Amino acid sequence: MMKGGRNSQRYQSRREFLKNGLYAGLNASLVGSLLLSSCGKRQRSATNVILISIDTLRADHLSCYGYQRPTSPILDKFASQGLLFEDVSTTCPWTLPAHASLLTGLYPRRNGVRAHTDRLRDDVLTLAEVLREHDFITSGIVNSHWLSKTNGLDHGFEEFLYVKEYADRTKPTRVEDEARNWLSKRRDKKFFLFLHYYDVHSDYHSLPHYEKQFVRPYNGIVDGSTSQLLDFRYGRIPLPNQADTEHLIDLYDAGVRQMDDGMERLFALLEEKNLLDNTLIIVTSDHGEEFMEHGGVLHGRTFFQEVLHVPLIMRGPNLPQGQRIKGIASLIDVMPTLLAMLGISPPPGLDGIDLQSLWQRNNAGSPKRLLFGEADWNNIVDNKTVDDIKRFIRQNHYKLHVNRVTGKMELYDIVNNPDENIDVSSKHTPLVKLMRSRLRDFLRIGRTGRTVDPLSPKEVELLKSLGYLQ
Ligand SMILES: [Zn+2]
């Protein structure tokens, strides 16, 4: 039992919310159970939820996102049976804050998890907490120390298992074993299972079978280890040349293919357990990975699309099959969307939005929507702290990168210049001014509990007059 004024208050308001949410959820469940599919056939609503996060998985290295190599036949098939969101951004390009956003529907500065030592704020409700209050068994199996209990991401999970990550990726992950064990012993009650896989993350190693398929002959020094990638990053050894970079990509792609086969084993188990037809399955990632597109490796320090763009694929009862969603989305939308699909009211004040209208009404999403991200990363390099603090704001197809340390700003049109190598900030001064001002607003809200205001009518008029909005 929590004691003390602040915590009592917190629990009172949380209880109130959960009580109201439960009431709304019951009503919505009644409606949900009567839902008809588009062909008029009565279908069952999802009763279980499996949320899968594959750490460091770049969307554009999956075949279903247009990659030219066959890295993901299983996820391609999975996407053909459900919904694929084409344009999803993370909130932060490294593991801890990105997952905190995924599990709370809040930007890092609102849930309190921005730096290595931060813990999830006590007054923030997690997806697991809300589902647990709605009688789901909640279980998490995670594969990174960032997600272990120390940072509070276990809030709401009745069972939470941290499977220690190892650099050696040549064995099938223990997360898969633990997931199989858990599903095999499952009680006869609806559940929420969160699975986090670290297999695609460096070190980039995989079984010989996968390396044979993806790794071309190479005679250089690159070995795909995190320690060597950090040596590149900090200038201890010269940056990878083109052949080195291609080798890194080959090793990474082999790992993606190996992970994809792991998904096949998981889906086969769900089928064997008769769980496929009444389980909502969501596959996503926390961030991508750099392969020298902008002069770096790994992730965590920039907001270019190679680290920002993550996959989001959903499959489940009552969901359309094979639909691709073009509207802009973010990891913060997963929690409100999932709760809405289950007929459960989301906690008030989430930053994310319910994405259902994007497929139910063929809505392309609002071009007025603003997305934000931040990376507060104080690197320790050779015993010295190096500030490296960056932010971004996205409006429609424009993304403004802001470096707080140097003051540098870059604006890219990521639709017409997906490589983000033509800075158009000097040609779009009024837009940059508006985005900069909205970014400042976002940074100011911090812990106030406020969400960011939508664009005002005056701002919408300005963007329209400049041709940024139709
Ligand atoms: Zn990560």
Side-chain angles (χ1 to χ4, degrees), residues 117-166:
T117 50
D118 287 340
R119 259 185 82 76
L120 199 63
R121 285 172 53 180
D122 273 350
D123 58 348
V124 167
L125 277 173
T126 65
L127 176 60
E129 282 175 289
V130 177
L131 291 178
R132 188 173 174 178
E133 290 295 332
H134 286 79
D135 296 326
F136 282 74
I137 297 173
T138 54
S139 182
I141 302 171
V142 301
N143 200 199
S144 162
H145 64 285
W146 294 122
L147 273 66
S148 65
K149 295 184 179 186
T150 43
N151 298 91
L153 299 197
D154 61 319
H155 287 181
F157 287 103
E158 290 163 85
E159 303 164 81
F160 196 78
L161 179 66
Y162 160 48
V163 175
K164 193 172 177 346
E165 62 271 40
Y166 292 102

Short mmCIF file of all heavy atoms in Angstrom, two decimals, residues 117-166:
data_model
loop_
_atom_site.label_atom_id
_atom_site.label_comp_id
_atom_site.label_asym_id
_atom_site.label_seq_id
_atom_site.Cartn_x
_atom_site.Cartn_y
_atom_site.Cartn_z
N THR A 117 19.47 7.56 -16.21
CA THR A 117 19.15 7.31 -14.80
C THR A 117 17.71 7.65 -14.44
O THR A 117 17.31 7.54 -13.28
CB THR A 117 20.09 8.15 -13.91
OG1 THR A 117 20.05 9.50 -14.40
CG2 THR A 117 21.51 7.63 -13.94
N ASP A 118 16.92 8.07 -15.42
CA ASP A 118 15.53 8.47 -15.13
C ASP A 118 14.64 7.26 -14.88
O ASP A 118 14.82 6.20 -15.47
CB ASP A 118 14.94 9.26 -16.31
CG ASP A 118 15.52 10.65 -16.40
OD1 ASP A 118 16.05 11.14 -15.39
OD2 ASP A 118 15.45 11.24 -17.50
N ARG A 119 13.65 7.48 -14.00
CA ARG A 119 12.62 6.47 -13.75
C ARG A 119 11.28 7.02 -14.21
O ARG A 119 11.05 8.22 -14.15
CB ARG A 119 12.52 6.17 -12.24
CG ARG A 119 13.21 4.92 -11.81
CD ARG A 119 12.95 4.66 -10.34
NE ARG A 119 11.66 4.02 -10.08
CZ ARG A 119 11.42 2.74 -10.31
NH1 ARG A 119 12.36 1.95 -10.77
NH2 ARG A 119 10.24 2.22 -10.04
N LEU A 120 10.43 6.12 -14.64
CA LEU A 120 9.08 6.52 -15.04
C LEU A 120 8.40 7.24 -13.88
O LEU A 120 8.48 6.78 -12.73
CB LEU A 120 8.30 5.25 -15.40
CG LEU A 120 7.05 5.42 -16.25
CD1 LEU A 120 7.39 5.98 -17.62
CD2 LEU A 120 6.37 4.06 -16.40
N ARG A 121 7.76 8.36 -14.18
CA ARG A 121 7.09 9.11 -13.12
C ARG A 121 6.00 8.25 -12.47
O ARG A 121 5.28 7.52 -13.14
CB ARG A 121 6.44 10.36 -13.70
CG ARG A 121 7.42 11.44 -14.03
CD ARG A 121 6.75 12.56 -14.78
NE ARG A 121 5.56 13.04 -14.07
CZ ARG A 121 4.79 14.03 -14.52
NH1 ARG A 121 5.08 14.63 -15.65
NH2 ARG A 121 3.75 14.42 -13.83
N ASP A 122 5.87 8.41 -11.14
CA ASP A 122 4.91 7.59 -10.39
C ASP A 122 3.47 7.84 -10.82
O ASP A 122 2.62 6.97 -10.72
CB ASP A 122 5.01 7.91 -8.89
CG ASP A 122 6.07 7.05 -8.24
OD1 ASP A 122 6.54 6.11 -8.90
OD2 ASP A 122 6.42 7.33 -7.07
N ASP A 123 3.18 9.08 -11.25
CA ASP A 123 1.78 9.39 -11.57
C ASP A 123 1.42 9.08 -13.02
O ASP A 123 0.34 9.44 -13.47
CB ASP A 123 1.48 10.87 -11.25
CG ASP A 123 2.39 11.81 -12.03
OD1 ASP A 123 3.38 11.33 -12.63
OD2 ASP A 123 2.11 13.02 -12.03
N VAL A 124 2.30 8.42 -13.73
CA VAL A 124 2.01 8.07 -15.12
C VAL A 124 1.43 6.66 -15.18
O VAL A 124 1.99 5.73 -14.61
CB VAL A 124 3.31 8.15 -15.97
CG1 VAL A 124 3.13 7.50 -17.32
CG2 VAL A 124 3.75 9.60 -16.13
N LEU A 125 0.31 6.52 -15.85
CA LEU A 125 -0.30 5.19 -16.01
C LEU A 125 0.28 4.52 -17.24
O LEU A 125 0.33 5.11 -18.32
CB LEU A 125 -1.81 5.33 -16.19
CG LEU A 125 -2.66 5.48 -14.93
CD1 LEU A 125 -4.10 5.78 -15.32
CD2 LEU A 125 -2.60 4.22 -14.08
N THR A 126 0.69 3.28 -17.09
CA THR A 126 1.21 2.55 -18.24
C THR A 126 0.10 1.73 -18.89
O THR A 126 -0.94 1.47 -18.27
CB THR A 126 2.33 1.58 -17.83
OG1 THR A 126 1.76 0.59 -16.96
CG2 THR A 126 3.46 2.29 -17.12
N LEU A 127 0.37 1.30 -20.10
CA LEU A 127 -0.57 0.44 -20.80
C LEU A 127 -0.86 -0.82 -19.98
O LEU A 127 -2.02 -1.24 -19.85
CB LEU A 127 0.07 0.06 -22.15
CG LEU A 127 -0.67 -0.93 -23.04
CD1 LEU A 127 -2.04 -0.39 -23.41
CD2 LEU A 127 0.15 -1.22 -24.30
N ALA A 128 0.18 -1.39 -19.39
CA ALA A 128 0.00 -2.61 -18.60
C ALA A 128 -0.89 -2.35 -17.39
O ALA A 128 -1.74 -3.18 -17.04
CB ALA A 128 1.36 -3.15 -18.15
N GLU A 129 -0.70 -1.19 -16.75
CA GLU A 129 -1.53 -0.89 -15.57
C GLU A 129 -3.01 -0.79 -15.95
O GLU A 129 -3.87 -1.31 -15.24
CB GLU A 129 -1.08 0.43 -14.93
CG GLU A 129 0.17 0.28 -14.10
CD GLU A 129 0.66 1.62 -13.58
OE1 GLU A 129 1.16 2.42 -14.40
OE2 GLU A 129 0.53 1.87 -12.37
N VAL A 130 -3.28 -0.10 -17.06
CA VAL A 130 -4.68 0.05 -17.48
C VAL A 130 -5.27 -1.32 -17.84
O VAL A 130 -6.38 -1.65 -17.42
CB VAL A 130 -4.79 1.03 -18.67
CG1 VAL A 130 -6.23 1.13 -19.15
CG2 VAL A 130 -4.27 2.41 -18.28
N LEU A 131 -4.53 -2.12 -18.58
CA LEU A 131 -5.06 -3.43 -18.98
C LEU A 131 -5.23 -4.35 -17.76
O LEU A 131 -6.19 -5.11 -17.68
CB LEU A 131 -4.15 -4.07 -20.03
CG LEU A 131 -4.15 -3.38 -21.40
CD1 LEU A 131 -3.18 -4.06 -22.35
CD2 LEU A 131 -5.55 -3.37 -22.00
N ARG A 132 -4.31 -4.25 -16.83
CA ARG A 132 -4.43 -5.08 -15.62
C ARG A 132 -5.71 -4.75 -14.86
O ARG A 132 -6.39 -5.64 -14.34
CB ARG A 132 -3.19 -4.86 -14.74
CG ARG A 132 -3.12 -5.82 -13.58
CD ARG A 132 -1.81 -5.67 -12.86
NE ARG A 132 -1.76 -6.47 -11.66
CZ ARG A 132 -0.71 -6.56 -10.86
NH1 ARG A 132 0.39 -5.90 -11.16
NH2 ARG A 132 -0.73 -7.31 -9.79
N GLU A 133 -6.01 -3.46 -14.81
CA GLU A 133 -7.25 -3.05 -14.14
C GLU A 133 -8.48 -3.52 -14.90
O GLU A 133 -9.58 -3.53 -14.37
CB GLU A 133 -7.30 -1.52 -13.97
CG GLU A 133 -6.31 -0.98 -12.97
CD GLU A 133 -6.60 -1.44 -11.54
OE1 GLU A 133 -7.78 -1.71 -11.23
OE2 GLU A 133 -5.66 -1.55 -10.74
N HIS A 134 -8.29 -3.87 -16.15
CA HIS A 134 -9.41 -4.40 -16.95
C HIS A 134 -9.31 -5.92 -17.08
O HIS A 134 -9.71 -6.49 -18.09
CB HIS A 134 -9.46 -3.71 -18.32
CG HIS A 134 -9.97 -2.31 -18.23
ND1 HIS A 134 -9.17 -1.26 -17.82
CD2 HIS A 134 -11.20 -1.78 -18.45
CE1 HIS A 134 -9.89 -0.15 -17.82
NE2 HIS A 134 -11.12 -0.44 -18.19
N ASP A 135 -8.72 -6.52 -16.06
CA ASP A 135 -8.71 -7.98 -15.90
C ASP A 135 -7.86 -8.74 -16.90
O ASP A 135 -8.11 -9.92 -17.15
CB ASP A 135 -10.15 -8.54 -15.93
CG ASP A 135 -10.94 -8.03 -14.75
OD1 ASP A 135 -10.33 -7.86 -13.67
OD2 ASP A 135 -12.14 -7.76 -14.91
N PHE A 136 -6.89 -8.07 -17.48
CA PHE A 136 -5.91 -8.80 -18.30
C PHE A 136 -4.81 -9.32 -17.38
O PHE A 136 -4.39 -8.63 -16.45
CB PHE A 136 -5.25 -7.87 -19.32
CG PHE A 136 -6.11 -7.56 -20.53
CD1 PHE A 136 -7.20 -6.70 -20.43
CD2 PHE A 136 -5.82 -8.13 -21.77
CE1 PHE A 136 -7.98 -6.41 -21.54
CE2 PHE A 136 -6.60 -7.84 -22.88
CZ PHE A 136 -7.68 -6.98 -22.77
N ILE A 137 -4.34 -10.53 -17.65
CA ILE A 137 -3.08 -10.97 -17.05
C ILE A 137 -2.01 -10.19 -17.80
O ILE A 137 -2.03 -10.13 -19.03
CB ILE A 137 -2.84 -12.47 -17.30
CG1 ILE A 137 -3.93 -13.31 -16.63
CG2 ILE A 137 -1.46 -12.89 -16.79
CD1 ILE A 137 -3.83 -14.79 -16.99
N THR A 138 -1.09 -9.56 -17.09
CA THR A 138 -0.08 -8.74 -17.77
C THR A 138 1.30 -9.33 -17.54
O THR A 138 1.71 -9.55 -16.40
CB THR A 138 -0.14 -7.29 -17.26
OG1 THR A 138 -0.01 -7.32 -15.83
CG2 THR A 138 -1.43 -6.61 -17.64
N SER A 139 2.00 -9.56 -18.62
CA SER A 139 3.32 -10.16 -18.49
C SER A 139 4.29 -9.53 -19.49
O SER A 139 3.93 -9.29 -20.64
CB SER A 139 3.21 -11.68 -18.76
OG SER A 139 4.46 -12.27 -18.59
N GLY A 140 5.50 -9.26 -19.05
CA GLY A 140 6.52 -8.70 -19.93
C GLY A 140 7.77 -9.56 -19.91
O GLY A 140 8.18 -10.05 -18.85
N ILE A 141 8.33 -9.79 -21.09
CA ILE A 141 9.61 -10.50 -21.20
C ILE A 141 10.52 -9.59 -22.01
O ILE A 141 10.23 -9.32 -23.19
CB ILE A 141 9.44 -11.87 -21.89
CG1 ILE A 141 8.43 -12.73 -21.10
CG2 ILE A 141 10.80 -12.59 -21.99
CD1 ILE A 141 8.04 -14.03 -21.81
N VAL A 142 11.56 -9.06 -21.38
CA VAL A 142 12.37 -8.04 -22.05
C VAL A 142 13.84 -8.46 -22.08
O VAL A 142 14.29 -9.25 -21.26
CB VAL A 142 12.23 -6.66 -21.36
CG1 VAL A 142 10.78 -6.21 -21.36
CG2 VAL A 142 12.77 -6.69 -19.92
N ASN A 143 14.55 -7.90 -23.04
CA ASN A 143 15.88 -8.39 -23.36
C ASN A 143 16.94 -7.28 -23.35
O ASN A 143 17.91 -7.34 -24.10
CB ASN A 143 15.81 -9.07 -24.75
CG ASN A 143 16.93 -10.03 -25.04
OD1 ASN A 143 17.18 -10.35 -26.18
ND2 ASN A 143 17.64 -10.49 -24.03
N SER A 144 16.69 -6.24 -22.54
CA SER A 144 17.69 -5.18 -22.43
C SER A 144 17.66 -4.63 -21.01
O SER A 144 16.57 -4.46 -20.44
CB SER A 144 17.38 -4.04 -23.41
OG SER A 144 18.07 -2.87 -23.03
N HIS A 145 18.84 -4.33 -20.49
CA HIS A 145 18.88 -3.81 -19.12
C HIS A 145 18.13 -2.48 -19.01
O HIS A 145 17.67 -2.11 -17.95
CB HIS A 145 20.32 -3.66 -18.63
CG HIS A 145 21.10 -2.67 -19.42
ND1 HIS A 145 21.57 -2.94 -20.69
CD2 HIS A 145 21.48 -1.40 -19.14
CE1 HIS A 145 22.22 -1.88 -21.14
NE2 HIS A 145 22.18 -0.94 -20.24
N TRP A 146 17.99 -1.76 -20.14
CA TRP A 146 17.25 -0.49 -20.10
C TRP A 146 15.79 -0.71 -19.75
O TRP A 146 15.12 0.17 -19.26
CB TRP A 146 17.32 0.22 -21.46
CG TRP A 146 18.69 0.67 -21.82
CD1 TRP A 146 19.41 0.32 -22.92
CD2 TRP A 146 19.52 1.57 -21.08
NE1 TRP A 146 20.62 0.92 -22.91
CE2 TRP A 146 20.73 1.71 -21.80
CE3 TRP A 146 19.37 2.26 -19.88
CZ2 TRP A 146 21.77 2.51 -21.35
CZ3 TRP A 146 20.41 3.07 -19.43
CH2 TRP A 146 21.59 3.17 -20.16
N LEU A 147 15.30 -1.91 -20.07
CA LEU A 147 13.89 -2.20 -19.79
C LEU A 147 13.71 -3.01 -18.52
O LEU A 147 12.59 -3.38 -18.18
CB LEU A 147 13.27 -2.95 -20.98
CG LEU A 147 12.70 -2.07 -22.10
CD1 LEU A 147 13.81 -1.31 -22.80
CD2 LEU A 147 11.96 -2.91 -23.10
N SER A 148 14.80 -3.30 -17.84
CA SER A 148 14.68 -4.06 -16.60
C SER A 148 14.00 -3.16 -15.56
O SER A 148 13.70 -2.01 -15.84
CB SER A 148 16.04 -4.52 -16.12
OG SER A 148 16.84 -3.40 -15.80
N LYS A 149 13.80 -3.65 -14.37
CA LYS A 149 12.94 -2.94 -13.42
C LYS A 149 13.48 -1.59 -12.95
O LYS A 149 12.74 -0.78 -12.43
CB LYS A 149 12.69 -3.83 -12.21
CG LYS A 149 11.89 -5.08 -12.57
CD LYS A 149 11.55 -5.90 -11.36
CE LYS A 149 10.73 -7.10 -11.77
NZ LYS A 149 10.24 -7.88 -10.67
N THR A 150 14.76 -1.35 -13.16
CA THR A 150 15.37 -0.16 -12.57
C THR A 150 14.75 1.15 -13.07
O THR A 150 14.78 2.15 -12.38
CB THR A 150 16.88 -0.12 -12.86
OG1 THR A 150 17.08 -0.49 -14.22
CG2 THR A 150 17.65 -1.05 -11.97
N ASN A 151 14.22 1.19 -14.28
CA ASN A 151 13.70 2.44 -14.81
C ASN A 151 12.17 2.54 -14.75
O ASN A 151 11.59 3.48 -15.27
CB ASN A 151 14.17 2.65 -16.25
CG ASN A 151 15.68 2.75 -16.34
OD1 ASN A 151 16.35 1.74 -16.51
ND2 ASN A 151 16.23 3.94 -16.15
N GLY A 152 11.53 1.55 -14.16
CA GLY A 152 10.09 1.64 -13.91
C GLY A 152 9.20 1.20 -15.06
O GLY A 152 7.98 1.34 -14.98
N LEU A 153 9.78 0.66 -16.13
CA LEU A 153 8.93 0.25 -17.25
C LEU A 153 8.18 -1.04 -16.94
O LEU A 153 7.39 -1.50 -17.76
CB LEU A 153 9.75 0.09 -18.54
CG LEU A 153 10.48 1.34 -19.05
CD1 LEU A 153 10.89 1.18 -20.50
CD2 LEU A 153 9.63 2.59 -18.91
N ASP A 154 8.44 -1.62 -15.78
CA ASP A 154 7.71 -2.82 -15.38
C ASP A 154 6.37 -2.49 -14.70
O ASP A 154 5.62 -3.40 -14.36
CB ASP A 154 8.57 -3.66 -14.41
CG ASP A 154 8.91 -2.88 -13.15
OD1 ASP A 154 9.22 -1.67 -13.27
OD2 ASP A 154 8.87 -3.46 -12.05
N HIS A 155 6.08 -1.18 -14.52
CA HIS A 155 4.83 -0.80 -13.85
C HIS A 155 3.63 -1.47 -14.52
O HIS A 155 3.46 -1.37 -15.74
CB HIS A 155 4.61 0.72 -13.92
CG HIS A 155 5.52 1.48 -13.01
ND1 HIS A 155 5.50 2.86 -12.88
CD2 HIS A 155 6.50 1.05 -12.17
CE1 HIS A 155 6.41 3.24 -12.02
NE2 HIS A 155 7.03 2.17 -11.57
N GLY A 156 2.83 -2.14 -13.72
CA GLY A 156 1.59 -2.74 -14.22
C GLY A 156 1.72 -4.19 -14.66
O GLY A 156 0.72 -4.84 -14.92
N PHE A 157 2.96 -4.69 -14.76
CA PHE A 157 3.12 -6.09 -15.16
C PHE A 157 3.12 -6.99 -13.92
O PHE A 157 3.91 -6.79 -13.00
CB PHE A 157 4.44 -6.28 -15.93
CG PHE A 157 4.41 -5.70 -17.31
CD1 PHE A 157 5.05 -4.50 -17.60
CD2 PHE A 157 3.75 -6.36 -18.34
CE1 PHE A 157 5.02 -3.96 -18.88
CE2 PHE A 157 3.72 -5.84 -19.63
CZ PHE A 157 4.36 -4.64 -19.89
N GLU A 158 2.22 -7.98 -13.93
CA GLU A 158 2.20 -8.93 -12.81
C GLU A 158 3.46 -9.78 -12.82
O GLU A 158 4.00 -10.15 -11.79
CB GLU A 158 1.00 -9.86 -12.94
CG GLU A 158 -0.31 -9.19 -12.71
CD GLU A 158 -1.46 -10.03 -13.24
OE1 GLU A 158 -1.92 -10.91 -12.51
OE2 GLU A 158 -1.87 -9.81 -14.39
N GLU A 159 3.87 -10.13 -14.04
CA GLU A 159 5.12 -10.89 -14.19
C GLU A 159 6.00 -10.08 -15.12
O GLU A 159 5.53 -9.59 -16.15
CB GLU A 159 4.85 -12.25 -14.84
CG GLU A 159 3.84 -13.11 -14.10
CD GLU A 159 3.36 -14.24 -15.00
OE1 GLU A 159 4.06 -15.23 -15.11
OE2 GLU A 159 2.28 -14.09 -15.59
N PHE A 160 7.26 -9.94 -14.76
CA PHE A 160 8.16 -9.16 -15.61
C PHE A 160 9.53 -9.81 -15.57
O PHE A 160 10.20 -9.82 -14.54
CB PHE A 160 8.24 -7.72 -15.09
CG PHE A 160 8.81 -6.75 -16.09
CD1 PHE A 160 8.03 -6.27 -17.14
CD2 PHE A 160 10.11 -6.32 -15.98
CE1 PHE A 160 8.54 -5.37 -18.06
CE2 PHE A 160 10.65 -5.43 -16.90
CZ PHE A 160 9.86 -4.95 -17.93
N LEU A 161 9.92 -10.38 -16.69
CA LEU A 161 11.17 -11.13 -16.73
C LEU A 161 12.19 -10.41 -17.60
O LEU A 161 11.92 -10.11 -18.77
CB LEU A 161 10.89 -12.53 -17.32
CG LEU A 161 12.11 -13.44 -17.45
CD1 LEU A 161 12.68 -13.82 -16.09
CD2 LEU A 161 11.75 -14.69 -18.24
N TYR A 162 13.32 -10.11 -17.00
CA TYR A 162 14.42 -9.53 -17.78
C TYR A 162 15.36 -10.66 -18.18
O TYR A 162 15.99 -11.29 -17.32
CB TYR A 162 15.13 -8.46 -16.94
CG TYR A 162 16.54 -8.12 -17.41
CD1 TYR A 162 16.80 -7.86 -18.76
CD2 TYR A 162 17.59 -8.06 -16.51
CE1 TYR A 162 18.08 -7.56 -19.19
CE2 TYR A 162 18.88 -7.75 -16.93
CZ TYR A 162 19.12 -7.51 -18.27
OH TYR A 162 20.38 -7.22 -18.71
N VAL A 163 15.44 -10.90 -19.48
CA VAL A 163 16.35 -11.92 -20.00
C VAL A 163 17.64 -11.18 -20.39
O VAL A 163 17.61 -10.29 -21.23
CB VAL A 163 15.74 -12.60 -21.25
CG1 VAL A 163 16.73 -13.56 -21.87
CG2 VAL A 163 14.45 -13.31 -20.89
N LYS A 164 18.73 -11.53 -19.75
CA LYS A 164 19.97 -10.79 -19.97
C LYS A 164 20.39 -10.85 -21.43
O LYS A 164 20.33 -11.91 -22.05
CB LYS A 164 21.06 -11.37 -19.08
CG LYS A 164 22.29 -10.49 -18.97
CD LYS A 164 23.24 -11.02 -17.93
CE LYS A 164 24.53 -10.25 -17.79
NZ LYS A 164 24.89 -9.32 -18.80
N GLU A 165 20.81 -9.70 -21.95
CA GLU A 165 21.24 -9.66 -23.34
C GLU A 165 22.70 -10.09 -23.46
O GLU A 165 23.53 -9.75 -22.62
CB GLU A 165 21.05 -8.26 -23.95
CG GLU A 165 21.84 -7.13 -23.32
CD GLU A 165 21.12 -6.46 -22.15
OE1 GLU A 165 20.48 -7.17 -21.36
OE2 GLU A 165 21.24 -5.23 -22.01
N TYR A 166 22.99 -10.84 -24.50
CA TYR A 166 24.36 -11.25 -24.77
C TYR A 166 24.75 -10.75 -26.15
O TYR A 166 23.91 -10.63 -27.04
CB TYR A 166 24.49 -12.78 -24.74
CG TYR A 166 24.32 -13.36 -23.36
CD1 TYR A 166 23.12 -13.95 -22.99
CD2 TYR A 166 25.34 -13.27 -22.41
CE1 TYR A 166 22.94 -14.45 -21.72
CE2 TYR A 166 25.17 -13.77 -21.13
CZ TYR A 166 23.97 -14.37 -20.78
OH TYR A 166 23.79 -14.84 -19.52
#
